[in-house]
Amino acid sequence: MSDPAQTRPLGAQISHMLKSRGVDTIFGIPGVHNQEMYRGIEEAGIRHILARHEQGAGFMADGYARASGRPGVAYVITGPGLCNVMTPMGQAYSDSAPVLVLSSCLNETAATRGQLHQMLDQEVAAGTVCDWSETAQTPDAAYALIDRALAEFQTKRPRSKHIQVPIPLLEGEAKPAPAAAPAISIAHSAQIPAHIAAMITAAKRPFFVLGGGAVHASEPARAALTALGAASFSTYAGRGIISPDDPLHYGAYLGRPESADVAASADLVVVVGSELAEVDLWRTDLGHTAPMIRVDIDPEVLAQMHGSEALLMDSFGFFTQLNAALADHTAKTSWKPQPVKQARARWRAEADAERPGIVPVVDALREVMPEDAMIYSDMTQFAYTGKEVWDMERPGHWHHPYGFGTLGYALPAGIGGAAARPGLPTCVIAGDYGFQYTVQELGTAVELGQPLPILLWDNGKLKEIEDSMVRAQIAPNSVMAHNPDFVALAKAYGAYAEAPKSFSELKKAVTEAFAADGPTLIYMTADMTQD
């Protein structure tokens, strides 16, 4: 057995350090510039999952992080490898996923030109799409930066981070990283200020918006809203926080223009864990006229909301403290279930009319989707509709590239998510165009033997862009593309593939895919018959 205190090349020591900090999986692609990072992976007992493209590795790390709640780690090479992973880094930054990218870098670029994989300023380039990007010039600096990243994932809004290490430093001998510091304990004891508690308990029409930052507070959130008799919306990322059976829950229809009228009828608005970003509202403001209380762990979010009561507090602590304040509270709500039910039915019908043929397929899939399935979707019309009409029973089980909005997310992210939850159901939803951004990652899913249903919606074009052009009175241009035979392509990779012609065949294919010994592409079109 090797001496844990022995010196090793720094690249190997980094892998041993990550293992000691709880990292069990790394996604990446080895190359001549980062091979030293691979020297210690097997010795440290870390599983490495080989992607087909660095973009895939980054999305896999993102999917792993969202499924597990632990950091997703990716190893990439200098230059093009780092550039290829920048899109996933931007997505993870936007959606608050704890992704750590470790790359090699050249130790000198100012005086020399023409080096392999050379960039003018790799650190700065990466820093444009993540929380921070730093260069470690010594082994101790590399260890300190890794510990800083891991600590910030626990204590701050989790966002992607990049650490690069010069190649000669990776190759050089280094002492082991210091022992891990004691685990950080997160306290939830902060008190809600008395005047904010009084505002909430006095409201007769309290109105809550629950975002992705509140997914870990579902149980106390449900209890608090029931005690208050409050109406609520969730953002797309917040679906499942409130039960879809709650008679005063409007669902994920916040982007519907009419939701502004609902907000305007409230006498108090409470927003928990949401930026109320463009991709949440699809308008400039919520529509409220009543006082607003913002609860968030990100000071930047709170600083932007002038005229609101700002509470820097995590969602679980907020709802736990709120429930304590509501111990003897009697709801005085004037919200009624019937208007909520009618609005949801009206908005569902609007979604069906806007993108015909999708809602019935969604309903068919919901019938056979396991309750604990984790879904990863791409930028596709099927997902846009599904995010509104597909109610989630539990939070944090539908992941989508919300803010950055990149194509090609679903398949590799689903692979990462399935790797984080072995034995539990994971499903991918993609469109015909975006799927081809990362189709090569099918090879990874086949290698891993993942029972991964890949629901591919093919409308034969960039339909969302075509519709947008038409609305803008632009003649649709370059929205048609030649597609491959997706079924044959999946089989060429060694995956299973089905092309159901009816809803019954679709449901059978999905059920069998969850029990298969590898991924199954399920090819869906609007031509499927209802039976």
Side-chain angles (χ1 to χ4, degrees):
M1 187 173 181
S2 61
D3 180 358
Q6 71 182 18
T7 62
R8 297 184 179 89
L10 177 59
Q13 296 287 27
I14 287 173
S15 292
H16 280 270
M17 177 188 184
L18 290 171
K19 178 66 174 180
S20 73
R21 281 15 177 204
V23 174
D24 59 13
T25 304
I26 291 172
F27 305 90
I29 302 175
V32 293
H33 271 191
N34 72 343
Q35 63 188 18
E36 286 297 334
M37 297 163 68
Y38 282 77
R39 186 186 294 275
I41 289 181
E42 290 188 6
E43 185 185 51
I46 294 177
R47 171 179 58 167
H48 181 269
I49 294 179
L50 175 64
R52 298 310 192 259
H53 187 283
E54 287 89 358
Q55 186 177 74
F59 285 143
M60 289 177 197
D62 176 299
Y64 177 95
R66 298 196 203 197
S68 67
R70 301 189 301 274
V73 180
Y75 279 1
V76 300
I77 64 164
T78 317
L82 188 279
C83 287
N84 287 340
V85 83
M86 283 173 62
T87 296
M89 288 167 65
Q91 191 62 65
Y93 177 88
S94 176
D95 290 349
S96 303
V99 170
L100 175 60
V101 173
L102 291 162
S103 78
S104 57
C105 67
L106 300 171
N107 64 318
E108 190 283 312
T109 58
T112 307
R113 290 290 181 263
Q115 300 178 79
L116 178 65
H117 302 331
Q118 187 176 50
M119 293 178 66
L120 296 180
D121 198 328
Q122 181 173 291
E123 177 188 306
V124 169
T128 63
V129 290
C130 67
D131 190 20
W132 50 257
S133 172
E134 299 287 355
T135 303
Q137 298 292 357
T138 66
D140 286 344
Y143 303 148
L145 287 169
I146 290 171
D147 273 337
R148 172 187 166 191
L150 298 178
E152 289 181 6
F153 287 149
Q154 295 181 60
T155 58
K156 297 173 60 179
R157 182 177 181 177
R159 283 177 147 166
S160 55
K161 307 174 195 299
H162 168 244
I163 300 169
Q164 61 180 20
V165 186
I167 297 167
L169 192 63
L170 289 169
E171 297 170 340
E173 292 292 305
K175 294 180 180 180
I184 298 173
S185 178
I186 306 298
H188 299 289
S189 59
Q191 295 293 318
I192 299 174
H195 75 284
I196 289 181
M199 289 172 65
I200 296 173
T201 55
K204 293 183 172 57
R205 289 181 66 82
F207 174 82
F208 280 69
V209 176
L210 289 304
V215 295
H216 301 298
S218 179
E219 184 176 345
R222 292 183 181 193
L225 269 63
T226 298
L228 288 165
S232 61
F233 276 87
S234 68
T235 66
Y236 300 131
R239 284 182 302 152
I241 297 173
I242 303 302
S243 170
D245 295 329
D246 185 321
L248 297 180
H249 183 52
Y250 282 92
Y253 292 102
L254 198 59
R256 293 281 150 187
E258 196 182 349
S259 70
D261 298 331
V262 179
S265 72
D267 64 354
L268 178 69
V269 175
V270 184
V271 181
V272 185
S274 174
E275 293 176 306
L276 294 183
E278 177 186 12
V279 294
D280 295 320
L281 301 176
W282 298 112
R283 57 182 183 270
T284 57
D285 57 74
L286 184 62
H288 66 290
T289 56
M292 175 184 280
I293 299 169
R294 301 296 300 269
V295 182
D296 211 286
I297 62 170
D298 188 347
E300 183 179 348
V301 170
L302 298 177
Q304 293 172 352
M305 298 301 156
H306 304 292
S308 303
E309 292 279 355
L311 186 56
L312 186 66
M313 193 174 189
D314 71 279
S315 58
F316 186 88
F318 169 74
F319 280 115
T320 300
Q321 292 296 321
L322 180 57
N323 280 317
L326 294 172
D328 299 318
H329 180 72
T330 300
K332 303 180 288 292
T333 183
S334 62
W335 294 104
K336 303 297 181 184
Q338 190 61 22
V340 178
K341 182 178 180 180
Q342 291 171 344
R344 286 178 60 102
R346 189 165 58 251
W347 296 334
R348 174 185 164 91
E350 289 177 3
D352 189 25
E354 289 168 358
R355 301 185 180 103
I358 294 177
V359 170
V361 181
V362 166
D363 291 342
L365 289 171
R366 286 186 61 196
E367 292 180 21
V368 294
M369 194 64 59
E371 185 177 338
D372 58 346
M374 190 163 283
I375 299 170
Y376 290 84
S377 61
D378 216 318
M379 299 293 285
T380 170
Q381 285 195 326
F382 194 92
Y384 304 154
T385 299
K387 287 186 301 174
E388 285 195 303
V389 305
W390 190 324
D391 289 324
M392 301 298 291
E393 297 292 338
R394 58 182 70 187
H397 276 64
W398 186 312
H399 304 293
H400 184 80
Y402 296 106
F404 210 43
T406 180
L407 287 161
Y409 171 82
L411 176 59
I415 292 170
R421 303 169 72 242
L424 296 174
T426 302
C427 179
V428 167
I429 296 174
D432 58 297
Y433 200 85
F435 179 68
Q436 295 179 77
Y437 274 48
T438 49
V439 62
Q440 66 273 8
E441 305 306 340
L442 263 176
T444 300
V446 170
E447 285 179 348
L448 296 173
Q450 292 180 331
L452 187 67
I454 302 164
L455 302 169
L456 179 63
W457 179 254
D458 186 359
N459 53 22
K461 60 177 70 175
L462 287 162
K463 187 66 170 65
E464 188 73 7
I465 308 306
E466 180 184 66
D467 291 349
S468 179
M469 285 180 163
V470 170
R471 288 194 298 269
Q473 298 184 352
I474 299 170
N477 185 282
S478 299
V479 295
M480 303 292 292
H482 173 73
N483 279 337
D485 181 334
F486 287 109
V487 170
L489 180 60
K491 290 180 178 179
Y493 271 102
Y496 300 107
E498 299 289 343
K501 303 298 183 184
S502 66
F503 284 13
S504 59
E505 290 181 7
L506 172 64
K507 290 187 281 189
K508 180 175 182 289
V510 172
T511 300
E512 292 177 348
F514 279 119
D517 59 0
T520 304
L521 185 138
I522 301 173
Y523 181 74
M524 306 185 301
T525 70
D527 296 331
M528 287 186 297
T529 59
Q530 301 185 43
D531 50 10

